[in-house]
Amino acid sequence: MSAAPQLVVHRDKELMAQAAAARLITKIVDAQSARGSASVVLTGGRNGNGLLAALAAAPARDAIDWGRLDLWWGDERFLPDGDPERNYTQAREALLDSVPLDPRRVHPMPASDGPFEADAAAEAYAAELANAAGPEDHGEVPTFDVLMLGVGPDTHVASLFPELPAVRETERMVVGVHGAPKPPPTRITLTLSAIRSAREVWLLAAGEDKANAAAIALSGAGEVQAPAAGAYGRSRTLWLLDAAAASQLPSSLYPPAIA
Ligand SMILES: O=C1O[C@H](COP(=O)(O)O)[C@@H](O)[C@H](O)[C@H]1O
């Protein structure tokens, strides 16, 4: 099953980040109430970190039971632990270091100064995911409640770049990426198969430099040429945009009002 994308367009990127943070708080609280815990996949990039910073500033963040939240990552820049360009480092700074998470439930992707090179690190992360998947899940990864993805100006999501082998992968859940066009060239990423195991996939796109990517991905492009087009959730696919990122969408897709 796949979910046709729903679009929500906000006035600007600050409001988008605040509204997305409010939405995420509600999702996590609802999942914890329904299932006892919640699982969220974080994204790197400007929009993902903006959302985390907005969450850190939201008084309602205290509604979340942080000790019953599992955190995973959609991709990682394969750099040494603590490198300021690592998605994990940036998420810590934006939010994670200021909330009482259970460290056993926080699952950063491996760093380049650990025991693995990128492909082996991807395998290790796939094993960690498989270990967390239960019989109620649909395969080799847990059924994430929310999986967030920043959308790059070239339509990449996670570290799935147009035309590179990772976006064509159909068997493995996590792969190493070599020769990425955006630095650093070596990365680790969930594949589209892993992404599609999430209940909800949220794509975040704010800023004029995302307008072309959003228009292409939402206008029927193929996932190999436009990876964002292949990212969808089991029950919901939500594009959260600001007006600048929505400015090139075909009028048939553009919602009637800006929230
Ligand atoms: O390098 C990455 O880029 C994308 C998009 O980032 P943005 O700054 O253009 O919003 C991000 O989603 C991904 O996690 C990250 O590794």
Side-chain angles (χ1 to χ4, degrees):
M1 183 178 71
S2 73
Q6 297 173 335
L7 277 62
V8 178
V9 181
H10 294 284
R11 189 179 57 223
D12 54 43
K13 72 171 189 300
E14 289 76 21
L15 190 56
M16 184 191 112
Q18 288 160 3
R23 190 184 285 279
L24 185 60
I25 292 170
T26 304
K27 267 289 148 200
I28 292 171
V29 170
D30 283 356
Q32 289 177 331
S33 163
R35 289 182 284 282
S37 65
S39 62
V40 171
V41 180
L42 299 181
T43 177
R46 288 163 286 164
N47 299 156
N49 288 319
L51 186 157
L52 295 184
L55 211 170
R61 78 181 207 185
D62 294 338
I64 294 174
D65 182 343
W66 293 99
R68 290 190 294 134
L69 177 64
D70 292 292
L71 289 180
W72 301 89
W73 270 261
D75 76 310
E76 188 54 274
R77 301 156 179 182
F78 198 56
L79 296 166
D81 189 32
D83 189 292
E85 289 301 315
R86 252 171 78 77
N87 290 336
Y88 176 54
T89 311
Q90 294 180 357
R92 285 186 62 177
E93 278 166 14
L95 172 72
L96 309 189
D97 285 352
S98 60
V99 290
L101 291 157
D102 177 347
R104 290 166 302 182
R105 287 178 175 258
V106 179
H107 305 273
M109 286 182 166
S112 64
D113 55 352
F116 307 114
E117 50 72 41
D119 293 335
E123 270 180 47
Y125 203 67
E128 200 171 333
L129 282 163
N131 195 39
E136 71 284 6
D137 294 314
H138 304 273
E140 299 159 52
V141 295
T143 307
F144 310 115
D145 290 301
V146 178
L147 182 149
M148 293 182 287
L149 296 168
V151 180
D154 59 355
T155 72
H156 83 266
V157 287
S159 286
L160 299 170
F161 292 88
E163 308 282 356
L164 287 197
V167 76
R168 300 177 193 269
E169 175 66 43
T170 55
E171 301 293 320
R172 291 173 294 169
M173 298 292 125
V174 192
V175 294
V177 175
H178 305 274
K182 176 181 177 182
T186 307
R187 293 160 169 260
I188 304 170
T189 189
L190 298 191
T191 60
L192 286 175
S193 303
I195 287 169
R196 291 170 187 160
S197 67
R199 285 190 178 84
E200 298 205 6
V201 169
W202 298 0
L203 295 110
L204 313 174
E208 215 176 315
D209 62 323
K210 308 293 172 82
N212 190 41
I216 290 171
L218 286 163
S219 300
E223 65 199 32
V224 173
Q225 294 75 31
Y232 47 80
R234 290 183 163 274
S235 60
R236 193 177 200 201
T237 306
L238 192 57
W239 278 73
L240 301 172
L241 305 122
D242 73 349
S247 61
Q248 292 181 31
L249 292 181
S251 53
S252 56
L253 287 175
Y254 201 90
I258 293 176

